[in-house]
Amino acid sequence: MAEYTVSLQAYTKAVLHCAKHPWATVHGLFLAEKKDGKIRFVDAVPLAHNWTNLTPMFDVALQQVQQYAKTKGLSVCGYYVAYEDTKTMQLSASGGLLAKTLLDADESTVAFVIDAKKLAPESGKAALIPHVFADPQWKEQSSAFAESGKSAAGTKGVSFVLENNRVLAATRKLVDERAEVFVYDFDEHMDDVSLDWLQNSMLSERIKTT
């Protein structure tokens, strides 16, 4: 059974990317370390809030992320998206194509839709809705992250869990502190190449001290 764990840093960066652009569809990638059949998403790289289709821009961004991940000994095997229409919980056709591009390179790839409604302080639930590819389509894992810190098995015996019970509380704290101002995506990097979109180092340091 494949086991996926989402770290505080990966979860928070994805959520803050969503919080920074609440009027737009945003998406990005998760980087993972693999060991003994277990996959741990250790970081997130925000891609865009202006384009969300399979375009040359995606190819350019993906190549840079893959090169960066390689230097860190990590794999690019996670895709996340938060839709402008917060009622959308299913991976869209374009999102599915983007995730399939990753899957073609790494068979352990999974996709996540961010449920903005679960970002509310009173929610107490993970905002990630995993989707696993079961040929010929991506299937939602509705029972995943049933409780913080506890995994739930779904399609193909895949399970998902947050790394610890601090993840949700720490993320809420950073959202309250408006820490999204420290997250930059590839779109913003294209406007100002000095922006650190691959590592978002300032945000990483902020997360460590939360």
Side-chain angles (χ1 to χ4, degrees):
M1 179 177 73
E3 297 180 22
Y4 292 84
T5 300
V6 182
S7 72
L8 170 61
Q9 178 156 292
Y11 184 84
T12 300
K13 283 187 179 181
V15 167
L16 290 176
H17 187 206
C18 174
K20 187 174 185 178
H21 307 284
W23 62 85
T25 294
V26 305
H27 65 165
L29 304 172
F30 283 128
L31 310 185
E33 57 184 16
K34 299 180 180 180
K35 186 177 181 180
D36 300 328
K38 297 181 179 180
I39 299 165
R40 181 173 181 266
F41 291 117
V42 297
D43 207 354
V45 179
L47 286 183
H49 59 278
N50 289 327
W51 51 270
T52 53
N53 294 317
L54 189 58
T55 65
M57 288 286 285
F58 176 79
D59 293 335
V60 171
L62 177 58
Q63 288 176 13
Q64 293 188 39
V65 176
Q66 289 174 327
Q67 291 171 2
Y68 167 70
K70 187 175 181 180
T71 67
K72 300 294 184 180
L74 302 174
S75 301
V76 184
C77 59
Y79 171 79
Y80 73 82
V81 59
Y83 292 107
E84 178 182 3
D85 181 355
T86 58
K87 295 179 181 178
T88 303
M89 298 293 104
Q90 293 285 338
L91 194 64
S92 68
S94 60
L97 286 174
L98 294 174
K100 185 64 165 57
T101 300
L102 302 182
L103 183 69
D104 290 341
D106 189 323
E107 64 180 8
S108 62
T109 294
V110 292
F112 298 88
V113 173
I114 296 178
D115 182 355
K117 296 188 296 297
K118 291 181 180 177
L119 299 181
E122 64 274 11
S123 169
K125 296 181 179 179
L128 296 177
I129 302 174
H131 289 66
V132 174
F133 191 75
D135 201 19
Q137 62 186 337
W138 292 92
K139 292 189 176 181
E140 176 184 340
Q141 307 297 288
S142 58
S143 61
F145 300 112
E147 294 182 51
S148 179
K150 296 183 180 180
S151 62
T155 300
K156 300 164 68 174
V158 178
S159 69
F160 299 88
V161 65
L162 298 178
E163 70 175 350
N164 57 48
N165 291 325
R166 282 192 59 243
V167 173
L168 297 183
T171 301
R172 282 197 298 271
K173 183 174 184 292
L174 287 165
V175 170
D176 290 342
E177 294 173 352
R178 302 301 301 275
E180 68 268 18
V181 299
F182 296 106
V183 64
Y184 303 107
D185 60 22
F186 184 67
D187 275 345
E188 292 164 305
H189 172 76
M190 293 298 290
D191 291 331
D192 180 353
V193 296
S194 70
L195 297 178
D196 176 24
W197 73 287
L198 284 171
Q199 300 186 69
N200 277 291
S201 301
M202 290 181 63
L203 179 57
S204 295
E205 288 302 313
R206 187 74 174 269
I207 294 170
K208 288 179 182 178
T209 60
T210 299

